[in-house]
Amino acid sequence: MKRNSSEIKWDKLDNTAHLFPVIAGESMSNVYRISVALNEEIQPELLQEALNRVLPLFDVFNVRIRSGVFWYYFETNQKPAPEVKEEYQYPCQYISPNRNRNYLFRVNYYKNRINLEVFHVLTDGMGGITFLKELTYQYLRLAHPELAEKLGDGLSSETSLNREDSYLENYKKGHKKVYRSERAYLVKGEKLEPLEIGVMHGIMSVQELKKVSKGYGVSINEYLVAAFLWSIYQESIHGNRNKHGRPITSCVPVNLRPYFDSITMKNFFVIISAVFKPEKENYTFKGVIQIVAESLRSQINRENLENLFAYNVSNEKNFVLRAVPLFIKSLAMKYVYRTSALANTTTVTNIGNIQVKEEYQDYIRQFSAFLSMSKGQNIKGTICSYEDTLVFTISSNLAGTYVQRVFFHRLAEDGIAVQIETNGVYEA
Protein backbone atom coordinates (compact mmCIF):
# COMPACT_ATOMS: atom_id res chain seq x y z
CA MET A 1 0.00 0.00 0.00
CA LYS A 2 1.29 3.45 -0.93
CA ARG A 3 0.77 6.92 0.44
CA ASN A 4 -2.03 8.82 -1.30
CA SER A 5 -0.65 11.11 -3.97
CA SER A 6 -3.27 13.72 -3.04
CA GLU A 7 -1.63 14.20 0.36
CA ILE A 8 -3.17 17.08 2.31
CA LYS A 9 -1.03 19.84 3.78
CA TRP A 10 -3.53 21.29 6.24
CA ASP A 11 -7.14 20.82 7.29
CA LYS A 12 -9.75 22.41 9.54
CA LEU A 13 -11.00 20.77 12.73
CA ASP A 14 -14.61 19.62 12.55
CA ASN A 15 -17.18 21.59 14.52
CA THR A 16 -17.14 19.36 17.61
CA ALA A 17 -13.35 19.00 17.63
CA HIS A 18 -12.77 22.71 18.35
CA LEU A 19 -13.53 22.11 22.04
CA PHE A 20 -11.14 19.23 22.73
CA PRO A 21 -7.71 20.93 22.48
CA VAL A 22 -9.06 23.77 24.65
CA ILE A 23 -10.12 21.61 27.60
CA ALA A 24 -7.68 18.67 27.34
CA GLY A 25 -4.77 18.20 29.74
CA GLU A 26 -3.11 15.71 32.07
CA SER A 27 -6.14 15.55 34.39
CA MET A 28 -8.75 15.32 31.60
CA SER A 29 -7.26 13.75 28.51
CA ASN A 30 -10.32 13.41 26.23
CA VAL A 31 -8.76 10.15 25.02
CA TYR A 32 -10.78 7.00 24.39
CA ARG A 33 -9.59 3.43 23.86
CA ILE A 34 -10.86 0.77 21.47
CA SER A 35 -9.32 -2.70 21.67
CA VAL A 36 -9.45 -5.88 19.64
CA ALA A 37 -8.55 -9.24 21.16
CA LEU A 38 -7.18 -11.80 18.71
CA ASN A 39 -6.94 -15.56 19.04
CA GLU A 40 -3.13 -15.36 18.97
CA GLU A 41 -0.30 -13.47 20.68
CA ILE A 42 0.65 -10.13 19.13
CA GLN A 43 3.99 -9.96 17.28
CA PRO A 44 5.10 -6.36 17.94
CA GLU A 45 7.35 -5.98 14.91
CA LEU A 46 4.46 -6.97 12.62
CA LEU A 47 2.08 -4.60 14.39
CA GLN A 48 4.58 -1.77 13.86
CA GLU A 49 4.88 -2.67 10.18
CA ALA A 50 1.09 -2.77 9.86
CA LEU A 51 0.82 0.72 11.37
CA ASN A 52 3.58 2.01 9.08
CA ARG A 53 1.61 0.78 6.07
CA VAL A 54 -1.89 1.83 7.09
CA LEU A 55 -1.29 5.26 8.62
CA PRO A 56 -0.33 7.11 5.40
CA LEU A 57 -3.67 6.11 3.89
CA PHE A 58 -5.70 7.82 6.64
CA ASP A 59 -5.39 11.58 6.34
CA VAL A 60 -7.58 12.02 9.43
CA PHE A 61 -4.99 10.21 11.60
CA ASN A 62 -1.82 11.21 9.74
CA VAL A 63 -1.76 14.75 11.17
CA ARG A 64 -0.37 17.00 13.87
CA ILE A 65 -2.24 19.92 15.45
CA ARG A 66 -1.25 23.56 15.20
CA SER A 67 -2.65 26.73 16.76
CA GLY A 68 -3.46 29.60 14.41
CA VAL A 69 -4.57 33.15 15.17
CA PHE A 70 -8.27 32.26 15.10
CA TRP A 71 -8.55 28.45 15.27
CA TYR A 72 -6.55 25.29 15.79
CA TYR A 73 -5.85 23.41 12.57
CA PHE A 74 -4.29 20.16 11.34
CA GLU A 75 -1.34 19.71 9.04
CA THR A 76 0.09 16.52 7.60
CA ASN A 77 2.58 14.91 9.96
CA GLN A 78 5.78 14.11 8.06
CA LYS A 79 7.31 12.08 10.90
CA PRO A 80 7.41 8.26 11.02
CA ALA A 81 4.41 6.49 12.56
CA PRO A 82 4.32 6.48 16.36
CA GLU A 83 6.24 3.69 18.03
CA VAL A 84 4.18 0.62 18.92
CA LYS A 85 4.88 -0.39 22.52
CA GLU A 86 3.80 -3.06 24.93
CA GLU A 87 1.28 -1.56 27.33
CA TYR A 88 3.21 -0.14 30.27
CA GLN A 89 1.10 2.66 31.78
CA TYR A 90 -2.48 3.34 32.79
CA PRO A 91 -4.81 3.72 29.80
CA CYS A 92 -6.22 6.85 28.17
CA GLN A 93 -3.52 9.23 29.37
CA TYR A 94 -3.16 12.66 27.81
CA ILE A 95 -1.54 12.66 24.38
CA SER A 96 0.66 15.74 24.27
CA PRO A 97 0.83 17.40 20.83
CA ASN A 98 4.59 17.78 21.35
CA ARG A 99 5.34 14.12 22.10
CA ASN A 100 4.53 10.80 20.45
CA ARG A 101 6.15 12.12 17.23
CA ASN A 102 3.38 14.77 17.25
CA TYR A 103 0.66 12.19 16.52
CA LEU A 104 -2.66 12.40 18.38
CA PHE A 105 -3.20 8.68 18.82
CA ARG A 106 -1.17 5.75 20.15
CA VAL A 107 -1.09 2.01 19.49
CA ASN A 108 0.05 -0.50 22.08
CA TYR A 109 -0.49 -4.19 22.77
CA TYR A 110 -0.78 -6.66 25.63
CA LYS A 111 -0.57 -10.41 25.01
CA ASN A 112 -3.24 -11.00 22.32
CA ARG A 113 -4.81 -7.51 22.44
CA ILE A 114 -4.25 -4.46 20.24
CA ASN A 115 -5.17 -1.13 21.85
CA LEU A 116 -5.89 2.04 19.89
CA GLU A 117 -6.07 5.23 21.98
CA VAL A 118 -7.38 8.33 20.21
CA PHE A 119 -7.51 11.99 21.19
CA HIS A 120 -11.14 12.89 20.42
CA VAL A 121 -10.05 15.89 18.36
CA LEU A 122 -9.31 13.47 15.49
CA THR A 123 -12.49 11.45 15.31
CA ASP A 124 -15.24 9.72 17.27
CA GLY A 125 -15.69 6.03 18.04
CA MET A 126 -16.85 5.14 14.53
CA GLY A 127 -13.76 6.70 13.00
CA GLY A 128 -11.61 4.91 15.56
CA ILE A 129 -13.21 1.56 14.77
CA THR A 130 -12.62 2.06 11.04
CA PHE A 131 -8.92 2.72 11.62
CA LEU A 132 -8.49 -0.14 14.11
CA LYS A 133 -10.17 -2.64 11.79
CA GLU A 134 -7.88 -1.75 8.89
CA LEU A 135 -4.83 -1.88 11.19
CA THR A 136 -5.93 -5.32 12.38
CA TYR A 137 -6.58 -6.58 8.85
CA GLN A 138 -3.11 -5.44 7.77
CA TYR A 139 -1.53 -7.07 10.84
CA LEU A 140 -3.29 -10.37 10.13
CA ARG A 141 -2.18 -10.29 6.49
CA LEU A 142 1.43 -9.86 7.65
CA ALA A 143 1.11 -12.62 10.26
CA HIS A 144 -0.70 -14.91 7.83
CA PRO A 145 0.63 -14.37 4.28
CA GLU A 146 -2.03 -16.66 2.86
CA LEU A 147 -4.59 -13.96 3.71
CA ALA A 148 -2.65 -11.40 1.67
CA GLU A 149 -2.44 -13.83 -1.25
CA LYS A 150 -6.18 -14.38 -1.12
CA LEU A 151 -7.39 -10.84 -0.35
CA GLY A 152 -4.71 -8.54 -1.74
CA ASP A 153 -3.13 -5.76 0.29
CA GLY A 154 -5.47 -2.78 -0.05
CA LEU A 155 -8.10 -1.22 2.17
CA SER A 156 -11.52 -2.86 2.39
CA SER A 157 -14.08 -1.61 -0.09
CA GLU A 158 -16.41 -0.52 2.74
CA THR A 159 -13.75 1.68 4.39
CA SER A 160 -14.34 5.40 3.91
CA LEU A 161 -11.51 7.94 3.84
CA ASN A 162 -13.97 10.83 3.58
CA ARG A 163 -13.00 13.81 5.76
CA GLU A 164 -15.82 16.29 5.27
CA ASP A 165 -17.15 18.27 8.22
CA SER A 166 -20.63 16.75 8.21
CA TYR A 167 -21.81 19.24 10.83
CA LEU A 168 -21.30 22.09 8.37
CA GLU A 169 -22.62 20.07 5.44
CA ASN A 170 -25.92 19.35 7.23
CA TYR A 171 -26.38 22.65 9.03
CA LYS A 172 -29.64 24.60 8.73
CA LYS A 173 -30.33 27.99 10.27
CA GLY A 174 -32.89 28.82 12.91
CA HIS A 175 -32.01 26.63 15.90
CA LYS A 176 -31.71 27.62 19.54
CA LYS A 177 -29.22 26.91 22.30
CA VAL A 178 -30.05 23.57 23.97
CA TYR A 179 -27.44 23.12 26.73
CA ARG A 180 -28.71 21.71 30.02
CA SER A 181 -28.04 23.85 33.05
CA GLU A 182 -29.62 22.03 36.04
CA ARG A 183 -26.93 20.47 38.18
CA ALA A 184 -26.97 16.67 38.23
CA TYR A 185 -26.12 14.23 40.98
CA LEU A 186 -22.40 13.45 40.88
CA VAL A 187 -20.85 10.16 42.00
CA LYS A 188 -18.12 11.03 44.48
CA GLY A 189 -15.75 9.20 46.79
CA GLU A 190 -12.14 8.44 47.46
CA LYS A 191 -10.12 8.89 44.28
CA LEU A 192 -7.50 6.58 42.84
CA GLU A 193 -3.99 7.94 42.40
CA PRO A 194 -3.56 10.67 39.75
CA LEU A 195 -3.63 9.22 36.19
CA GLU A 196 -4.82 5.88 37.59
CA ILE A 197 -8.00 4.50 36.06
CA GLY A 198 -9.91 1.41 37.07
CA VAL A 199 -11.40 -0.67 34.26
CA MET A 200 -13.97 -3.43 34.69
CA HIS A 201 -15.29 -5.41 31.70
CA GLY A 202 -18.55 -7.34 31.88
CA ILE A 203 -18.67 -9.91 29.06
CA MET A 204 -22.09 -11.33 28.17
CA SER A 205 -24.24 -12.86 25.44
CA VAL A 206 -26.07 -10.58 23.00
CA GLN A 207 -28.84 -13.15 22.66
CA GLU A 208 -29.39 -13.27 26.43
CA LEU A 209 -29.51 -9.46 26.53
CA LYS A 210 -32.01 -9.37 23.67
CA LYS A 211 -34.30 -11.79 25.47
CA VAL A 212 -34.19 -9.83 28.74
CA SER A 213 -34.56 -6.44 27.06
CA LYS A 214 -37.52 -7.63 25.02
CA GLY A 215 -39.15 -8.78 28.25
CA TYR A 216 -39.01 -5.18 29.49
CA GLY A 217 -40.20 -3.84 26.13
CA VAL A 218 -36.98 -1.91 25.45
CA SER A 219 -33.86 -2.14 23.28
CA ILE A 220 -30.53 -3.50 24.55
CA ASN A 221 -29.15 0.04 24.64
CA GLU A 222 -32.11 1.37 26.65
CA TYR A 223 -31.87 -1.56 29.07
CA LEU A 224 -28.14 -1.11 29.72
CA VAL A 225 -28.33 2.68 30.09
CA ALA A 226 -31.24 2.26 32.52
CA ALA A 227 -29.38 -0.43 34.50
CA PHE A 228 -26.37 1.87 34.82
CA LEU A 229 -28.49 4.80 36.03
CA TRP A 230 -30.32 2.43 38.38
CA SER A 231 -26.97 1.44 39.87
CA ILE A 232 -26.02 5.07 40.40
CA TYR A 233 -29.47 5.68 41.92
CA GLN A 234 -28.81 2.84 44.39
CA GLU A 235 -25.44 4.42 45.19
CA SER A 236 -27.10 7.82 45.68
CA ILE A 237 -29.59 6.53 48.26
CA HIS A 238 -26.87 4.48 49.96
CA GLY A 239 -26.17 6.72 52.94
CA ASN A 240 -28.68 9.32 51.65
CA ARG A 241 -26.12 11.01 49.42
CA ASN A 242 -28.56 12.65 46.99
CA LYS A 243 -30.15 14.90 49.61
CA HIS A 244 -31.04 17.61 47.09
CA GLY A 245 -32.98 15.24 44.84
CA ARG A 246 -30.82 16.13 41.86
CA PRO A 247 -31.45 14.35 38.57
CA ILE A 248 -29.29 11.38 37.65
CA THR A 249 -28.39 11.91 34.02
CA SER A 250 -26.25 10.21 31.45
CA CYS A 251 -24.75 11.66 28.30
CA VAL A 252 -25.60 9.25 25.49
CA PRO A 253 -23.63 9.98 22.30
CA VAL A 254 -25.56 9.36 19.07
CA ASN A 255 -23.76 8.56 15.81
CA LEU A 256 -25.29 10.95 13.25
CA ARG A 257 -24.03 9.22 10.11
CA PRO A 258 -27.13 7.03 9.53
CA TYR A 259 -29.47 9.99 10.02
CA PHE A 260 -27.70 12.30 7.56
CA ASP A 261 -26.26 9.79 5.06
CA SER A 262 -22.67 10.64 6.02
CA ILE A 263 -19.53 8.53 5.58
CA THR A 264 -17.09 10.98 7.17
CA MET A 265 -14.10 9.75 9.16
CA LYS A 266 -14.20 12.88 11.32
CA ASN A 267 -16.33 13.42 14.41
CA PHE A 268 -20.04 13.33 13.64
CA PHE A 269 -22.11 12.74 16.76
CA VAL A 270 -24.26 14.61 19.24
CA ILE A 271 -25.03 14.07 22.91
CA ILE A 272 -28.52 13.39 24.16
CA SER A 273 -29.26 12.96 27.88
CA ALA A 274 -30.99 10.06 29.57
CA VAL A 275 -32.62 11.74 32.57
CA PHE A 276 -33.99 10.13 35.73
CA LYS A 277 -35.04 12.52 38.50
CA PRO A 278 -35.94 10.80 41.78
CA GLU A 279 -39.12 12.52 42.98
CA LYS A 280 -40.48 9.94 45.39
CA GLU A 281 -39.26 7.56 48.07
CA ASN A 282 -38.70 4.35 46.11
CA TYR A 283 -38.41 3.34 42.49
CA THR A 284 -38.43 -0.15 41.03
CA PHE A 285 -35.94 -1.12 38.37
CA LYS A 286 -38.80 -1.57 35.91
CA GLY A 287 -39.96 1.97 36.69
CA VAL A 288 -36.50 3.40 36.01
CA ILE A 289 -36.32 1.50 32.72
CA GLN A 290 -39.59 3.06 31.55
CA ILE A 291 -38.45 6.57 32.52
CA VAL A 292 -35.07 6.21 30.81
CA ALA A 293 -36.50 4.61 27.65
CA GLU A 294 -39.06 7.41 27.26
CA SER A 295 -36.36 10.02 27.86
CA LEU A 296 -34.16 8.56 25.10
CA ARG A 297 -36.93 7.93 22.58
CA SER A 298 -38.23 11.49 22.84
CA GLN A 299 -34.87 12.83 21.67
CA ILE A 300 -33.78 10.42 18.94
CA ASN A 301 -35.31 11.94 15.82
CA ARG A 302 -33.66 13.82 12.99
CA GLU A 303 -35.16 17.21 13.85
CA ASN A 304 -33.95 17.14 17.44
CA LEU A 305 -30.53 15.74 16.53
CA GLU A 306 -30.09 18.50 13.95
CA ASN A 307 -31.06 21.09 16.54
CA LEU A 308 -28.44 19.76 18.95
CA PHE A 309 -25.50 20.55 16.67
CA ALA A 310 -26.95 23.57 14.82
CA TYR A 311 -26.29 26.05 17.64
CA ASN A 312 -22.59 25.23 17.74
CA VAL A 313 -22.32 25.43 13.95
CA SER A 314 -24.05 28.80 13.90
CA ASN A 315 -21.37 30.14 16.26
CA GLU A 316 -18.60 28.81 14.01
CA LYS A 317 -20.21 30.46 10.97
CA ASN A 318 -20.81 33.78 12.74
CA PHE A 319 -18.54 36.30 11.03
CA VAL A 320 -17.94 38.36 14.19
CA LEU A 321 -17.08 35.31 16.32
CA ARG A 322 -14.82 33.92 13.62
CA ALA A 323 -12.71 37.08 13.85
CA VAL A 324 -12.19 36.70 17.62
CA PRO A 325 -8.59 35.59 18.45
CA LEU A 326 -8.11 31.97 19.52
CA PHE A 327 -7.05 32.76 23.09
CA ILE A 328 -10.32 34.63 23.70
CA LYS A 329 -12.38 31.87 22.05
CA SER A 330 -10.59 29.36 24.29
CA LEU A 331 -11.55 31.25 27.45
CA ALA A 332 -15.18 31.39 26.33
CA MET A 333 -15.29 27.69 25.41
CA LYS A 334 -13.75 26.71 28.76
CA TYR A 335 -16.39 28.75 30.58
CA VAL A 336 -19.27 27.20 28.62
CA TYR A 337 -17.83 23.73 29.17
CA ARG A 338 -17.43 24.22 32.93
CA THR A 339 -20.99 25.47 33.33
CA SER A 340 -22.53 22.66 31.28
CA ALA A 341 -20.29 19.78 32.46
CA LEU A 342 -21.93 19.48 35.89
CA ALA A 343 -25.32 18.89 34.28
CA ASN A 344 -24.48 15.22 33.71
CA THR A 345 -23.74 12.41 36.15
CA THR A 346 -22.08 10.06 33.72
CA THR A 347 -21.75 8.96 30.09
CA VAL A 348 -22.84 5.70 28.52
CA THR A 349 -21.72 5.33 24.91
CA ASN A 350 -22.58 2.50 22.56
CA ILE A 351 -19.97 1.77 19.89
CA GLY A 352 -22.45 -0.68 18.39
CA ASN A 353 -22.08 -4.11 16.86
CA ILE A 354 -18.76 -4.28 15.03
CA GLN A 355 -18.75 -6.14 11.74
CA VAL A 356 -15.52 -7.52 10.26
CA LYS A 357 -14.88 -9.16 6.90
CA GLU A 358 -15.68 -12.86 6.92
CA GLU A 359 -12.12 -13.88 6.05
CA TYR A 360 -10.80 -12.35 9.32
CA GLN A 361 -13.52 -13.51 11.71
CA ASP A 362 -11.76 -16.69 12.87
CA TYR A 363 -8.75 -14.65 14.01
CA ILE A 364 -10.72 -12.13 16.13
CA ARG A 365 -12.18 -12.97 19.55
CA GLN A 366 -13.80 -9.75 20.75
CA PHE A 367 -13.79 -5.95 20.78
CA SER A 368 -14.04 -3.63 23.77
CA ALA A 369 -13.85 0.11 24.42
CA PHE A 370 -13.90 2.65 27.23
CA LEU A 371 -13.67 6.35 27.98
CA SER A 372 -11.40 8.56 30.06
CA MET A 373 -12.83 10.69 32.84
CA SER A 374 -14.13 14.25 32.46
CA LYS A 375 -15.16 17.09 34.75
CA GLY A 376 -17.73 15.87 37.28
CA GLN A 377 -17.96 12.41 35.71
CA ASN A 378 -15.92 9.98 37.79
CA ILE A 379 -17.47 6.85 36.30
CA LYS A 380 -18.55 5.98 32.75
CA GLY A 381 -19.86 3.04 30.75
CA THR A 382 -19.12 1.86 27.20
CA ILE A 383 -20.99 -0.77 25.17
CA CYS A 384 -19.29 -2.71 22.40
CA SER A 385 -20.33 -5.96 20.71
CA TYR A 386 -18.96 -8.43 18.18
CA GLU A 387 -20.88 -11.46 16.97
CA ASP A 388 -22.72 -12.80 20.08
CA THR A 389 -20.38 -11.20 22.64
CA LEU A 390 -21.20 -7.84 24.20
CA VAL A 391 -18.73 -6.12 26.51
CA PHE A 392 -19.99 -3.45 28.90
CA THR A 393 -16.91 -1.66 30.25
CA ILE A 394 -17.00 0.61 33.29
CA SER A 395 -14.08 3.02 33.66
CA SER A 396 -13.65 5.02 36.85
CA ASN A 397 -11.15 7.07 38.83
CA LEU A 398 -12.85 6.19 42.13
CA ALA A 399 -11.41 3.65 44.55
CA GLY A 400 -14.82 2.21 45.42
CA THR A 401 -16.73 -0.24 43.21
CA TYR A 402 -20.27 0.07 44.60
CA VAL A 403 -21.84 1.11 41.27
CA GLN A 404 -20.03 -1.63 39.35
CA ARG A 405 -21.16 -4.33 41.78
CA VAL A 406 -24.79 -3.16 41.75
CA PHE A 407 -24.81 -2.94 37.95
CA PHE A 408 -23.49 -6.42 37.24
CA HIS A 409 -25.59 -7.90 40.07
CA ARG A 410 -28.67 -6.29 38.50
CA LEU A 411 -27.93 -8.01 35.18
CA ALA A 412 -27.33 -11.33 36.94
CA GLU A 413 -30.69 -11.03 38.69
CA ASP A 414 -32.30 -10.82 35.26
CA GLY A 415 -30.64 -14.09 34.28
CA ILE A 416 -27.76 -12.67 32.23
CA ALA A 417 -24.50 -14.57 32.74
CA VAL A 418 -21.66 -12.08 33.09
CA GLN A 419 -17.93 -12.80 33.07
CA ILE A 420 -15.90 -10.07 34.82
CA GLU A 421 -12.40 -8.96 33.84
CA THR A 422 -10.46 -6.00 35.27
CA ASN A 423 -7.18 -4.21 34.64
CA GLY A 424 -6.10 -5.15 38.16
CA VAL A 425 -6.49 -1.75 39.82
CA TYR A 426 -9.21 -2.96 42.18
CA GLU A 427 -7.32 -6.14 43.05
CA ALA A 428 -4.14 -4.36 44.15
Side-chain angles (χ1 to χ4, degrees):
M1 295 190 291
K2 297 180 180 179
R3 176 185 289 272
N4 286 343
S5 58
S6 57
E7 178 182 333
I8 62 168
K9 296 300 180 184
W10 71 278
D11 195 16
K12 295 179 180 179
L13 277 64
D14 64 72
N15 182 261
T16 290
H18 289 304
L19 176 65
F20 295 120
V22 172
I23 62 173
E26 294 289 348
S27 62
M28 190 170 65
S29 68
N30 285 277
V31 170
Y32 63 86
R33 172 184 283 196
I34 304 175
S35 301
V36 56
L38 305 183
N39 290 316
E40 59 192 63
E41 293 277 312
I42 301 300
Q43 301 177 60
E45 68 283 356
L46 296 186
L47 183 56
Q48 182 70 66
E49 177 61 22
L51 180 60
N52 294 346
R53 294 189 184 193
V54 168
L55 177 58
L57 305 177
F58 282 86
D59 290 336
V60 167
F61 279 80
N62 194 32
V63 294
R64 62 185 300 173
I65 195 167
R66 298 285 201 180
S67 56
V69 177
F70 302 108
W71 296 107
Y72 288 97
Y73 66 94
F74 294 128
E75 69 176 20
T76 303
N77 192 339
Q78 302 288 351
K79 294 185 178 182
E83 183 183 355
V84 170
K85 299 178 180 179
E86 186 173 17
E87 186 170 14
Y88 67 96
Q89 60 183 8
Y90 291 111
C92 294
Q93 292 192 22
Y94 177 58
I95 301 176
S96 170
N98 300 316
R99 302 174 188 169
N100 193 45
R101 297 178 181 168
N102 301 128
Y103 287 99
L104 302 173
F105 72 95
R106 62 172 70 97
V107 174
N108 59 48
Y109 66 95
Y110 178 72
K111 294 184 178 179
N112 67 328
R113 189 180 69 229
I114 301 171
N115 304 313
L116 172 67
E117 297 191 344
V118 182
F119 183 21
H120 224 316
V121 71
L122 293 181
T123 185
D124 54 23
M126 293 307 298
I129 281 291
T130 299
F131 185 76
L132 178 60
K133 286 203 299 185
E134 286 295 348
L135 175 63
T136 304
Y137 293 166
Q138 180 61 65
Y139 171 82
L140 289 171
R141 290 196 297 270
L142 291 170
H144 303 276
E146 66 275 13
L147 287 174
E149 291 177 13
K150 179 180 179 181
L151 301 170
D153 204 30
L155 296 180
S156 305
S157 58
E158 67 268 22
T159 292
S160 168
L161 299 177
N162 182 287
R163 53 186 178 84
E164 75 169 17
D165 186 338
S166 289
Y167 295 105
L168 293 177
E169 290 293 322
N170 293 281
Y171 165 70
K172 293 180 181 178
K173 293 182 180 179
H175 296 273
K176 299 179 181 179
K177 180 178 177 180
V178 289
Y179 291 117
R180 292 176 51 81
S181 57
E182 183 180 5
R183 287 196 63 172
Y185 173 74
L186 304 181
V187 182
K188 298 181 179 180
E190 180 187 350
K191 292 281 189 77
L192 296 170
E193 293 297 319
L195 306 182
E196 196 173 11
I197 183 169
V199 180
M200 191 174 294
H201 305 287
I203 303 164
M204 60 203 83
S205 163
V206 172
Q207 291 306 313
E208 285 187 6
L209 273 167
K210 276 185 180 178
K211 182 179 178 181
V212 170
S213 301
K214 186 177 181 181
Y216 285 106
V218 297
S219 68
I220 287 178
N221 191 60
E222 290 166 344
Y223 172 78
L224 290 172
V225 172
F228 200 58
L229 291 190
W230 162 264
S231 305
I232 293 174
Y233 167 62
Q234 294 298 306
E235 188 272 348
S236 76
I237 62 177
H238 180 68
N240 194 25
R241 293 176 179 172
N242 193 6
K243 298 176 182 178
H244 302 286
R246 288 184 173 141
I248 300 171
T249 69
S250 175
C251 294
V252 180
V254 177
N255 173 25
L256 293 174
R257 293 168 182 82
Y259 297 92
F260 296 91
D261 196 27
S262 169
I263 56 171
T264 186
M265 268 288 290
K266 290 190 173 184
N267 287 296
F268 194 39
F269 71 99
V270 293
I271 302 290
I272 63 173
S273 292
V275 182
F276 163 53
K277 187 170 185 177
E279 294 178 331
K280 61 182 183 181
E281 193 70 23
N282 292 301
Y283 286 84
T284 64
F285 178 49
K286 187 173 182 179
V288 172
I289 285 181
Q290 291 172 341
I291 292 169
V292 169
E294 289 172 10
S295 176
L296 291 172
R297 291 173 189 178
S298 67
Q299 299 172 73
I300 302 181
N301 58 78
R302 180 175 170 135
E303 182 180 358
N304 183 60
L305 298 174
E306 187 177 273
N307 189 57
L308 287 169
F309 69 78
Y311 176 75
N312 289 338
V313 175
S314 66
N315 284 338
E316 183 180 346
K317 294 174 73 71
N318 184 292
F319 180 78
V320 175
L321 292 178
R322 284 167 63 187
V324 173
L326 177 60
F327 78 93
I328 296 177
K329 285 194 185 90
S330 297
L331 291 173
M333 284 190 282
K334 283 182 180 178
Y335 173 77
V336 171
Y337 175 77
R338 283 197 300 266
T339 56
S340 61
L342 299 182
N344 286 287
T345 309
T346 186
T347 295
V348 179
T349 186
N350 191 340
I351 302 295
N353 181 260
I354 298 173
Q355 307 285 329
V356 303
K357 294 189 70 172
E358 183 179 357
E359 294 84 355
Y360 299 102
Q361 288 174 2
D362 289 342
Y363 300 91
I364 296 173
R365 184 165 62 85
Q366 71 182 37
F367 286 86
S368 59
F370 58 88
L371 304 172
S372 57
M373 300 300 98
S374 53
K375 186 175 178 61
Q377 298 187 33
N378 297 317
I379 188 167
K380 297 183 180 183
T382 304
I383 304 164
C384 189
S385 63
Y386 170 66
E387 296 185 333
D388 187 49
T389 300
L390 183 143
V391 184
F392 190 104
T393 302
I394 302 175
S395 50
S396 176
N397 61 5
L398 297 174
T401 58
Y402 187 91
V403 173
Q404 292 93 320
R405 286 184 284 115
V406 172
F407 175 78
F408 290 121
H409 183 68
R410 177 64 257 178
L411 269 55
E413 283 187 339
D414 279 337
I416 299 168
V418 183
Q419 176 187 345
I420 303 295
E421 294 180 359
T422 78
N423 67 337
V425 167
Y426 300 118
E427 298 168 357

